[in-house]
Amino acid sequence: MTSIGGAASSGMVDWNLAVATATRLMRPGPDVSRDEARAVVAELRRHARSAEEHVRGFTNLGTPETHDTPLLVVDRPGWVRANVAGFRELLKPLLDKMQERRGTSPGTVMMGAVGGKVTGVELGMLLSFLASRVLGQYETFAPATRDLPAGANGGGRLLLVAPNIVHVERELDVEPHDFRLWVTLHEETHRTQFTAVPWLRDHLEGEIQTFLAETDVDPTTVLERVREAAQSLAGGRPEGEEGDEGRSLVEIVQTPAQREILGRLTAVMSLLEGHADYVMDGVGPEVVPSVAEIREKFQQRRAKGASRLDMALRKLLGLDAKLRQYRDGERFVRAVVDEVGMEGFNRVWTSPNTLPTKAEIGKPADWITRVHRKPEA
C-alpha cells in the first residue's frame, strides 16, 4: 500500500493506519465479474465525457479547456486513500498547531505517537462507514500522489466510486445505464463549478483555514469528537444517544467567530449541492429516459436512511445537514432561475460578494434584490 506522504505516520494522526483500518473494516462491494467491472468503469468514463457536454450546455459555464482536472473511477479503498490525502493536506495547519501545543518532551512525544495510532484507527473506522455510501465526489483540495493524479492548477479531481454505484442501482432496481449517467451529471456539475469559477476553490479553502485557525486548540477535545463518532459506529454508546444535544462534530467545536464562518460555508455548500441537483434534474429528462423513476426512488432512499445507528452517525458527522443543503439549495437555484434566467443566476459566480448568504438561501428574492439591484424610479 502506498503511504500517504513522507511523514504520514507521525504527528497527531497516523494516516497510513487510518487507510489500513478503513480498508480492513469496509464492507465488501457487490458481486461482479472482472469483465462486468471493466464494463462499468468504461461506461462511467463515457458518461462523464457526455455529462461534461450536457452540463456545460445547460449551465453556460466553462469551456473544454477549463476541465483540467482528472476523472478517476475508483473502488472503495481508492476512495479512502484519496480522501485521507485530502484530509491530511487540509488539516495540516491545525494538526501542526495542536502538535506544538503538546510540546516535544520525550514523554509527550511517546504519548503523541500512541495517540496518533489510536486516532488513525478511529478515523479509519469512520472512513470504512462512509466508503460504502459515497457514489461520487469532486475532491476540491486533493494533492497529487503517485497513484492519484490531480489537476495541474491547484489540485482537484473527480471521483466516481464504481462498486457503490452498482450497489445502489441494484438496490433501487433501476435501469443501470440511466442511473450511471444520472449520477455522473450531478458529479460533473461539481467539477464544472470549480473549473469554470477559478476563485471558488481558494475562497473555500480560505474560509476553512480561517475556521480552523479560530479553534481554541485543545487536542483532547478535537480527538474526543472523532472517538465519539467511532464509538457510535462500534456500538460503544447506547443506541440513539447522541450527547452534546445531538450536535455534529463541526458544531461542537465552534466559537462565536466560527459560527459566522460556518454560516457562510453552509450557504456556499447549499448553493453547490442545490445547483448540482437542479442541473441533474434539468438535463435528466432529455438524456435519461427513466429519470423520474430514478429521482423518486433515490429521494426515498435519501430520506429514510439505513438504521437508527446510521441516522445517529449522520447527525454526529453532520451528514443530515448535507441532505438539507440539497433541498434548500435546489429551491434557491430554481427560484432564482425562474425569476432572472440562467444568465441572471450565473451572476452568483462573479465573486465571493455575489455568493448567497445563509439567510438568502432561504429567501432567494433577497439575493435577487441585492445582486440585481434595479435603480429606483
Side-chain angles (χ1 to χ4, degrees), residues 109-179:
V109 171
M110 184 180 70
M111 289 301 294
V114 173
K117 290 188 179 298
V118 171
T119 306
V121 169
E122 290 164 340
L123 177 60
M125 292 171 67
L126 290 178
L127 289 170
S128 73
F129 167 79
L130 295 171
S132 63
R133 286 158 171 77
V134 177
L135 301 182
Q137 173 186 3
Y138 183 74
E139 207 188 0
T140 315
F141 308 108
T145 67
R146 186 179 67 187
D147 299 327
L148 295 164
N153 299 319
R157 54 185 167 232
L158 179 61
L159 306 178
L160 295 173
V161 190
N164 295 352
I165 293 173
V166 172
H167 171 78
V168 174
E169 70 192 26
R170 291 179 178 178
E171 178 187 338
L172 298 181
D173 190 25
V174 293
E175 210 289 319
H177 306 295
D178 285 3
F179 184 74

Side-chain angles (χ1 to χ4, degrees), residues 40-61:
V40 170
V41 170
E43 183 173 15
L44 287 173
R45 291 188 179 280
R46 288 195 305 272
H47 283 331
R49 287 192 294 270
S50 64
E52 175 188 335
E53 297 177 6
H54 293 312
V55 169
R56 196 167 59 243
F58 185 79
T59 63
N60 297 322
L61 288 176

